Amino acid sequence: MVQINENYLKLQAGYLFPEIGRRVREFQQKNPQADVIKMGIGDVTQPLTPAIVKAFHEGVDEMSKASSFKGYGPEQGYEFLREAIAKNDYQSRGASIQADEIFISDGSKCDTGNIQEIFGYKNVIAVQDPVYPVYVDTSVMNGRTGNFMGNGYYEGIVYMPCTAENGFIPEIPKEKVDIIYLCYPNNPTGTTAGKEELKKWVDYAIRNKAVILYDAAYESYISDPAIPHSIYEIEGACKVAIEFRSFSKTAGFTGTRCAFTVVPKDLMAYTADGTEKPLYPLWFRRHTTKFNGVSYPVQKAAAAIYTPEGRKEIRATIDYYMNNARILRESLSKLGFQVFGGKNAPYVWVNSGRGIKSWDLFDKLLHEANVVGTPGSGFGPSGEGYFRFSSFATNENVVEAMERLKLLKW
Ligand SMILES: *Cc1c(COP(=O)(O)O)cnc(C)c1O
């Protein structure tokens, strides 16, 4: 008798985005004439930029000739891309990351989940609440949690509330934790962490022999020079942190697929008897065994992001989204919402300020303004009462959505 992985049965069926999709479809069936503006799912809308497309085309052309054709590439990624990343994203910021500590992949979603494979099952995992659902759901699938409880939490995970009261920076948990997922700039709250705040976590990890899994998918949206772009800008972080980056939001690669994970060679973990072991060889083994590399044209396209033209172009796209974020922030503040984030991140996190629950606000905006956002409670119980607007919509849609919200009756 073949048995299933029963951990999957613990997963909550009403996953956030399918539920949003269901409610929107139902509304559109009943109101076919309604022009619904979608600012819910965090997907980009602006196309790949010319320098990236040119490199992408060149990569395809090389594949079309016997003289420049490429079969399997290095599993870890082509040297030209890893060198560009090490130099531009790390060494230029004073972080001594080397090209061979970088693993190119097809996405941070997979990497942030797959990384759990190299850690033992007795580790206690801590996550921010609200949180990007992938960290929690993959923990459940891997059997690292108990059941889902009535209060909206899984047994066995340590949830760290991030609310307006603590500036969306979690307090160090009272219980000892071993694996800490941190995401800054944060999805869903759009808030950031400064060097001093991150230093507290790095120091905690050093003291407690813990590891930080740092998701910096929105790093390129930082404009404030005081905000660190990488956890490795914090002293000691190379010994306790793995960093995830993605070209998805940086350069519109959500449909093209390219990301990377940094595992420093100085990063240590321990066997059950306390023997220190580097994590690098484990991730190297995992990656080279289970992954055969990102396609050559895609890596060529990704490398173009680091050319002067590429940089200028993606900056213009990011500025376009951040102008949307500014409009969202200003309009929603005027409408009486408490507004957070949206300054160094593409998400604007609001509280209606009227004591309305997240899903009730979702339904009100959908039915009365035909505007779709994301209910904060879908990211975790501490998101209740909050709502996420994404600036990845077109400028016209953002302006129109805010005009419609002005007409709402409360
Ligand atoms: C969008 C996003 C990613 C990127 O995922 P990809 O698989 O690289 O597209 C990673 N982390 C967070 C928090 C995100 O919102």
Side-chain angles (χ1 to χ4, degrees), residues 107-109 132 135 183 187 215 217-218 246 248-249 257 259 347:
S108 286
K109 187 189 223 183
Y132 181 53
Y135 320 144
C183 176
N187 178 8
D215 185 344
Y218 297 94
S246 171
S248 284
K249 320 299 168 23
R257 314 302 307 142
Y347 298 119

Side-chain angles (χ1 to χ4, degrees), residues 49-346:
T49 67
I52 294 170
V53 172
K54 181 166 169 280
F56 209 165
H57 279 153
E58 283 168 8
V60 174
D61 287 343
E62 284 179 60
M63 297 299 262
S64 73
K65 296 184 203 84
S67 57
S68 53
F69 170 76
K70 290 180 172 54
Y72 290 124
E75 291 100 336
Q76 219 189 315
Y78 282 100
E79 189 74 16
F80 64 81
L81 179 55
R82 288 189 286 132
E83 286 287 354
I85 292 168
K87 184 162 157 276
N88 293 287
D89 285 329
Y90 294 103
Q91 292 160 11
S92 73
R93 295 190 181 279
S96 65
I97 296 297
Q98 304 301 313
D100 63 352
E101 294 173 308
I102 292 163
F103 295 81
I104 309 295
S105 78
D106 59 353
S108 286
K109 187 189 223 183
C110 355
D111 286 353
T112 54
N114 288 335
I115 198 74
Q116 291 184 13
E117 274 188 44
I118 64 170
F119 294 101
Y121 279 88
K122 292 208 172 124
N123 290 303
V124 176
I125 296 185
V127 296
Q128 292 167 282
D129 164 32
V131 67
Y132 181 53
V134 176
Y135 320 144
V136 171
D137 287 358
T138 53
S139 302
V140 175
M141 291 170 175
N142 289 331
R144 293 174 180 279
T145 74
N147 287 318
F148 191 72
M149 301 182 289
N151 59 5
Y153 294 122
Y154 286 97
E155 254 174 320
I157 290 187
V158 172
Y159 291 83
M160 306 182 293
C162 295
T163 58
E165 286 71 45
N166 60 21
F168 303 97
I169 308 277
E171 270 107 58
I172 303 273
K174 290 186 192 71
E175 55 274 76
K176 196 178 160 321
V177 298
D178 306 297
I179 297 174
I180 304 144
Y181 277 102
L182 290 179
C183 176
Y184 286 108
N186 188 255
N187 178 8
T189 66
T191 55
T192 50
K195 283 199 171 143
E196 267 166 41
E197 284 135 351
L198 290 179
K199 178 87 168 56
K200 274 200 308 197
W201 283 101
V202 168
D203 290 346
Y204 174 88
I206 293 172
R207 269 198 321 276
N208 292 279
K209 299 188 168 166
V211 69
I212 297 169
L213 303 178
Y214 194 73
D215 185 344
Y218 297 94
E219 160 278 327
S220 57
Y221 289 82
I222 296 172
S223 58
D224 180 344
I227 306 284
H229 288 241
S230 164
I231 188 85
Y232 304 122
E233 289 177 54
I234 312 303
E235 202 195 321
C238 279
K239 295 196 169 74
V240 291
I242 291 175
E243 181 163 292
F244 305 93
R245 292 260 189 116
S246 171
F247 299 114
S248 284
K249 320 299 168 23
T250 304
F253 271 51
T254 52
T256 304
R257 314 302 307 142
C258 197
F260 61 91
T261 292
V262 183
V263 185
K265 290 186 175 167
D266 286 344
L267 173 60
M268 297 292 161
Y270 303 85
T271 60
D273 67 9
T275 312
E276 192 177 66
K277 294 273 181 200
L279 280 167
Y280 181 85
L282 273 66
W283 186 246
F284 186 89
R285 192 71 164 85
R286 192 270 168 209
H287 192 80
T288 53
T289 301
K290 293 197 175 180
F291 190 65
N292 245 341
V294 171
S295 89
Y296 173 71
V298 168
Q299 292 191 62
K300 279 273 287 186
I305 294 165
Y306 296 98
T307 61
E309 316 81 72
R311 270 176 191 286
K312 221 188 299 161
E313 292 168 5
I314 65 162
R315 179 45 48 200
T317 306
I318 289 167
D319 288 347
Y320 174 90
Y321 293 135
M322 290 312 290
N323 183 47
N324 286 344
R326 180 188 58 79
I327 295 168
L328 287 168
R329 285 180 55 83
E330 290 174 4
S331 312
L332 291 161
S333 296
K334 275 192 204 139
L335 293 170
F337 288 81
Q338 287 176 279
V339 176
F340 307 95
K343 284 184 179 159
N344 295 284

